[in-house]
Amino acid sequence: RICDEIIRRSLKVTWSAWAEPRFVTREFLSLAARAGCTFIAYSPDALSPGALNSLGKTITKKDVKKAYDLTAEFPGIKTGFGFFVSSPNESARGLFEMLWFFIKGTIVLKYRNGGGVGLNWIRMEPGTRIYEIALREKVITPETDLLPESADTKPEKLFYISPTVRKYDWIARSILGSMEIIRTVYRKIKRK
């Protein structure tokens, strides 16, 4: 109804939105584009069933792919996806599928419409669900200081890394570092 009203009033506005992959349709995206939508962000956070379930998500990898494909049909709408690198109950296969989605999505979305895919680790904070999971999995102890006053604490000690994929974490960090180098080189070339 809001999109319809923007169109009816001929308002010249641009806006962005977060969207749930399950509910995105071609009809909605068409209407949103006509109403001035220039960016849609999705936050599936994971792709594998185990990780999605642990994060309390009610979506599937198929839902994420559908949102990616449908939004690609609207070049005027930039698209972003957000993922966590090492979610609880992540599988090695799920991690590598998500890393491939990151590489492919970053390249395709960035150069197709200016969007992209972001990766991050989950910050552990006292009293949160991820904190309870980290305690249960012995990733941290109750004595772990997650809100340090000193800058001496290594940042990676504050982020959750699933024990099931911990040995692959270096790969994710390497890919992120490589993509940043590629972005920097691309920006320099583009300026020339």
Side-chain angles (χ1 to χ4, degrees):
R1 287 186 278 180
I2 292 171
C3 289
D4 286 334
E5 194 63 20
I6 290 170
I7 294 166
R8 187 186 72 73
R9 293 184 189 193
S10 298
L11 299 176
K12 301 298 178 212
V13 296
T14 59
W15 53 277
S16 60
W18 287 90
E20 166 65 58
R22 281 183 306 156
F23 303 121
V24 172
T25 64
R26 189 173 286 108
E27 296 73 26
F28 168 73
L29 291 169
S30 176
L31 182 63
R34 290 193 328 268
C37 181
T38 58
F39 183 81
I40 293 183
Y42 300 98
S43 186
D45 299 335
L47 284 177
S48 70
L52 286 165
N53 186 47
S54 287
L55 294 170
K57 298 287 185 164
T58 57
I59 59 172
T60 66
K61 181 170 59 172
K62 187 176 176 181
D63 294 326
V64 176
K65 173 120 175 60
K66 178 193 81 164
Y68 178 90
D69 291 341
L70 282 175
T71 310
E73 295 177 20
F74 298 87
I77 300 177
K78 292 180 182 180
T79 312
F81 287 83
F83 291 96
F84 291 124
V85 172
S86 184
S87 299
N89 290 320
E90 182 63 274
S91 66
R93 179 185 178 111
L95 174 66
F96 288 109
E97 285 179 348
M98 188 260 309
L99 290 172
W100 177 244
F101 188 96
F102 168 73
I103 293 167
K104 181 180 79 170
T106 297
I107 294 167
V108 172
L109 292 175
K110 187 68 176 171
Y111 303 108
R112 178 172 59 206
N113 69 11
V117 178
L119 291 181
N120 215 328
W121 284 259
I122 303 172
R123 174 71 195 264
M124 295 181 289
E125 294 180 351
T128 63
R129 185 172 175 199
I130 198 71
Y131 175 80
E132 297 301 324
I133 291 169
L135 282 174
R136 193 169 47 250
E137 293 177 342
K138 299 188 182 351
V139 170
I140 59 172
T141 68
E143 291 76 35
T144 303
D145 185 7
L146 296 175
L147 302 171
E149 291 182 26
S150 167
D152 295 340
T153 302
K154 293 182 179 180
E156 59 269 13
K157 299 277 187 199
L158 306 175
F159 294 88
Y160 176 84
I161 300 175
S162 174
T164 58
V165 293
R166 178 178 298 281
K167 63 185 171 191
Y168 303 116
D169 194 62
W170 69 272
I171 297 171
R173 291 181 190 281
S174 298
I175 289 171
L176 280 170
S178 298
M179 294 303 283
E180 191 52 44
I181 291 168
I182 291 168
R183 283 187 195 116
T184 302
V185 170
Y186 176 75
R187 281 187 215 116
K188 286 180 181 178
I189 292 170
K190 195 174 176 181
R191 277 185 250 153
K192 289 182 179 184

